[in-house]
């Protein structure tokens, strides 16, 4: 487990709320080229590990990395619609 910051909000072009394959609120995000390159390397080396998503100094989620993420990612879990909206808004700052 590392405390390394891999990407920041500056590496995120946009984030929005969608419904996942089960109809639950989820957040999708698009990365800049630099962010995508950094995140691809990180996710490639950490498949099946958790990655903390820290927004405003708090861990918002710690999803398991399921595959390499380069251009677009999906954060899903047990979010309410409001929680997903807050995450998308915070990612877009």
């Amino acid at each position: 487990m590392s405390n390394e910051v891999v990407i920041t909000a500056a590496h995120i072009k946009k984030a929005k709320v969608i419904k996942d394959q089960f109809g639950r609120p989820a957040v999708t995000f698009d990365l800049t080229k630099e962010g995508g390159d950094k995140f691809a390397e990180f996710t490639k080396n950490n498949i099946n590990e958790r990655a903390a998503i820290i927004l405003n100094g708090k861990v918002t989620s710690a999803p398991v990395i399921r595959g390499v993420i380069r251009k677009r990612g999906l954060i899903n879990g047990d979010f309410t619609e409001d929680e997903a909206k807050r995450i998308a808004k915070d990612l877009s700052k």
Side-chain angles (χ1 to χ4, degrees), residues 8-72:
T8 68
H11 296 110
I12 297 174
K13 288 196 265 187
K14 68 179 178 179
K16 67 180 180 177
V17 176
I18 63 165
K19 297 290 185 183
D20 71 9
Q21 68 221 39
F22 303 108
R24 298 178 303 201
V27 178
T28 186
F29 60 91
D30 293 334
L31 296 168
T32 63
K33 169 132 177 42
E34 179 186 4
D37 291 345
K38 288 180 176 188
F39 211 48
E41 184 67 23
F42 173 76
T43 55
K44 178 180 81 173
N45 293 323
N46 290 282
I47 291 176
N48 296 321
E49 299 292 331
R50 290 194 177 274
I53 299 169
I54 301 170
L55 300 170
N56 301 321
K58 295 180 185 175
V59 175
T60 301
S61 181
V64 174
I65 299 167
R66 299 287 181 210
V68 176
I69 300 169
R70 178 176 299 278
K71 293 181 181 180
R72 174 173 283 167

